[in-house]
């Protein structure tokens, strides 16, 4: 039987048994509408509020600051369009972000530019980490909002969020962070880290797909995103996904409880694979900071090959991996993140992202290290570009 190794946890994670068990009653017996006044509906409402408390506890927030959404993209859009609307009412029309944000953020900002907002997209050095001095220099008297991702979904680099948040707090700038990759992997306290708005998605930490949350700090006023009924305290209309919300609460509680143990294990496993690849595959490059990155994130570029061919051959060996964000898998263009940190097109095309989870083992790592070098060599043997690289060197 073909071996199966799932190493694409940044795209999505497997639903945990505990999460599934917590959701099942709300898919069957406890099917009531949370807005209904009778007991069946009241029990659903109680379950939602319990999950709200769980998310708040995980983030160091208050339950009333947590709003449930359909996922990370909706949370990002609500935060960005809401903050832009709020800042425009105060005469502020300048936004600061980076060139390596997720497309849920970048495309929202592009839409705002068409509405007359000015956006500064900060350059990011080769290690993938935003410099706070660059951020501070970009601030003008028109700056009212900033959105900087907590940890990059492709190269895993962790940004100086508390420091940037402090700058924003001191200057009266609303600060949002897309923490979709960070929640469940890193310790987050929205109060201590000066965060006004934070987006998260359950399926990145063993919860269900189609449910997420937006943290809105008390005192930060942004408009509603979906109008209709009185759900989510009148801020986000639509009948609640009770089972999904319960799964989110269970998943985030589980994830936060095991962060340190998980991080220690995944860091060792990550570094083991990184060391093996750099040692055994010539002209390979680790993308992003070697240490200040998510515990399970590995991103390589291999000169002389195409990433898509690499993924197909790895799949034949039973290894699930990616070449970047799952949200751009239909695109033939190289990763905008890799281009932004200075890689030329021909090298950015040959990228591989492995994102590890608790189920991955050192035996899995050895298997990856055994099949990856010959696959890279096979592709290079067929590549005219590799012949050119060899001749030039």
């Amino acid at each position: 039987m073909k071996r199966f190794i799932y190493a694409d946890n940044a795209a999505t994670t497997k639903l945990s048994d505990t999460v599934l068990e917590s959701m099942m009653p709300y898919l069957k017996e406890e099917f009531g509408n949370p807005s209904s006044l009778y007991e069946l509906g009241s029990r659903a409402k109680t379950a939602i509020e319990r999950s709200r408390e769980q998310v708040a506890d995980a983030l160091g927030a208050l339950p009333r600051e947590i709003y449930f959404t359909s996922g990370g993209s909706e949370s990002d859009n609500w935060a960005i369009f809401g903050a832009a609307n709020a800042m425009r009412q105060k005469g502020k029309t300048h936004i600061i972000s980076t060139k390596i944000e997720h497309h849920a953020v970048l495309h929202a900002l592009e839409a705002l530019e068409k509405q007359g907002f000015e956006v500064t997209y900060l350059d990011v050095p080769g290690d993938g980490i935003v410099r706070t001095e660059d951020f501070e220099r970009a601030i003008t008297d028109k700056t009212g909002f900033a959105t900087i991702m907590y940890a990059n979904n492709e190269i895993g680099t962790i940004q100086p969020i508390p420091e940037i948040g402090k700058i924003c707090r001191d200057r009266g700038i609303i600060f949002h962070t897309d923490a979709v990759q960070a929640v469940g992997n890193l310790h987050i306290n929205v109060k201590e880290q000066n965060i006004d708005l934070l987006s998260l998605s359950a399926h990145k930490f063993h919860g269900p797909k189609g449910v997420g949350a937006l943290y809105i700090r008390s005192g930060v006023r942004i408009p509603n995103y979906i109008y209709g009924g009185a759900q989510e305290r009148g801020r986000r209309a639509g009948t609640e996904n009770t089972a999904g919300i319960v799964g989110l609460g269970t998943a985030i509680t589980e994830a936060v409880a095991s962060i340190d143990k998980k991080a220690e294990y995944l860091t060792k496993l990550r570094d083991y694979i990184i060391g093996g690849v750099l040692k055994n595959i010539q002209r390979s490059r680790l993308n992003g900071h070697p240490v200040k990155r998510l515990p399970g994130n590995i991103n390589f570029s291999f000169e002389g090959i195409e990433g898509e061919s690499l993924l197909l051959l790895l799949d034949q060996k039973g290894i699930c991996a990616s070449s970047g964000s799952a949200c751009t898998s239909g695109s033939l263009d190289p990763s905008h993140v890799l281009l932004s940190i200075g890689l030329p097109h021909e090298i950015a095309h040959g990228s591989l992202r492995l994102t590890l989870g608790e189920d991955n083992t050192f035996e899995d790592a050895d298997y990856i290290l055994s099949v990856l070098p010959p696959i890279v060599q096979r592709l290079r043997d067929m590549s005219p570009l590799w012949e050119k690289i060899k001749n030039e060197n």
Side-chain angles (χ1 to χ4, degrees):
M1 185 174 69
K2 183 171 75 171
R3 184 161 185 167
F4 177 78
I5 297 174
Y6 185 74
D8 199 18
N9 286 277
T12 195
T13 57
K14 182 174 70 173
L15 195 71
S16 87
D17 292 339
T18 309
V19 170
L20 178 60
E21 183 180 351
S22 73
M23 294 173 63
M24 287 305 294
Y26 300 94
L27 293 168
K28 293 285 288 182
E29 298 85 5
E30 301 292 336
F31 60 87
N33 187 317
S35 297
S36 300
L37 296 179
Y38 42 76
E39 186 179 352
L40 185 66
S42 296
R43 289 200 299 266
K45 182 69 172 177
T46 297
I48 287 174
E49 295 311 312
R50 183 170 60 246
S51 295
R52 200 184 309 278
E53 292 174 3
Q54 290 173 307
V55 175
D57 287 345
L59 299 177
L62 299 172
R64 67 173 183 270
E65 298 173 314
I66 303 301
Y67 297 86
F68 293 116
T69 68
S70 64
S73 292
E74 183 191 329
S75 296
D76 284 342
N77 275 255
W78 185 2
I80 291 166
F81 286 106
N85 185 296
M87 63 182 261
R88 174 171 264 171
Q89 293 178 8
K90 297 180 179 179
K92 306 283 188 178
T93 55
H94 179 240
I95 300 168
I96 302 175
S97 190
T98 78
K99 294 180 178 179
I100 64 168
E101 299 297 310
H102 189 277
H103 279 111
V105 170
L106 292 177
H107 290 166
L109 293 175
E110 288 170 8
L112 286 175
E113 288 181 285
K114 294 176 182 177
Q115 297 176 23
F117 287 89
E118 179 189 356
V119 182
T120 296
Y121 299 95
L122 297 175
D123 289 318
V124 179
D127 63 4
I129 297 177
V130 178
R131 300 299 189 257
T132 54
E133 56 268 28
D134 292 341
F135 179 86
E136 198 156 16
R137 274 196 297 268
I139 297 173
T140 74
D141 59 354
K142 289 289 187 179
T143 306
F145 175 56
T147 175
I148 309 287
M149 69 192 329
Y150 205 113
N152 188 265
N153 53 304
E154 293 191 32
I155 58 175
T157 47
I158 301 167
Q159 304 303 335
I161 294 302
E163 293 83 357
I164 293 174
K166 178 66 163 54
I167 295 169
C168 289
R169 187 65 53 84
D170 291 344
R171 303 288 289 269
I173 298 167
I174 300 173
F175 179 50
H176 166 253
T177 185
D178 174 349
V180 167
Q181 293 293 335
V183 172
N185 289 305
L186 302 171
H187 288 289
I188 297 175
N189 186 299
V190 290
K191 305 298 185 191
E192 294 176 359
Q193 296 173 1
N194 307 298
I195 297 167
D196 295 318
L197 303 164
L198 179 144
S199 306
L200 63 88
S201 186
H203 76 105
K204 303 297 187 177
F205 46 86
H206 302 291
K209 298 175 181 65
V211 61
L214 176 65
Y215 157 76
I216 305 176
R217 182 174 65 82
S218 295
V220 174
R221 302 190 180 278
I222 63 173
N224 299 353
Y225 193 59
I226 298 178
Y227 291 87
Q231 294 89 355
E232 294 302 289
R233 301 186 298 289
R235 301 299 306 278
R236 195 269 188 189
T239 302
E240 297 93 338
N241 173 9
T242 306
I245 290 170
V246 168
L248 167 56
T250 304
I252 201 168
T253 300
E254 257 192 333
V256 169
S258 62
I259 276 182
D260 292 329
K261 181 179 179 182
K262 173 185 172 182
E264 181 181 7
Y265 174 71
L266 290 182
T267 299
K268 290 178 181 177
L269 189 61
R270 176 198 76 191
D271 293 346
Y272 180 74
I273 294 176
I274 290 173
V277 169
L278 293 178
K279 178 182 178 182
N280 294 304
I281 302 179
Q282 61 173 317
R283 300 190 77 83
S284 57
R285 167 198 165 104
L286 176 68
N287 297 314
H289 196 282
V291 177
K292 295 177 182 178
R293 64 191 305 132
L294 291 169
N297 177 284
I298 302 167
N299 190 300
F300 283 112
S301 290
F302 304 107
E303 291 188 41
I305 68 169
E306 289 286 338
E308 289 191 358
S309 301
L310 177 61
L311 296 182
L312 293 173
L313 292 176
L314 285 172
D315 184 44
Q316 290 178 11
K317 295 292 185 179
I319 300 171
C320 299
S322 72
S323 59
S325 171
C327 300
T328 57
S329 60
S331 172
L332 295 177
D333 295 327
S335 157
H336 73 284
V337 174
L338 298 183
L339 295 178
S340 295
I341 63 172
L343 268 65
H345 278 67
E346 61 272 17
I347 295 179
H349 262 300
S351 64
L352 171 68
R353 183 185 71 174
L354 299 167
T355 44
L356 309 172
E358 306 94 308
D359 290 341
N360 293 122
T361 66
F362 278 87
E363 289 76 17
D364 292 341
D366 286 331
Y367 180 70
I368 291 170
L369 291 173
S370 71
V371 302
L372 184 57
I375 288 176
V376 171
Q377 190 57 52
R378 175 183 170 186
L379 292 173
R380 283 174 169 173
D381 289 343
M382 297 185 293
S383 169
L385 179 60
W386 180 244
E387 285 300 315
K388 180 182 177 181
I389 291 170
K390 287 196 301 181
N391 292 333
E392 287 176 350
N393 289 275

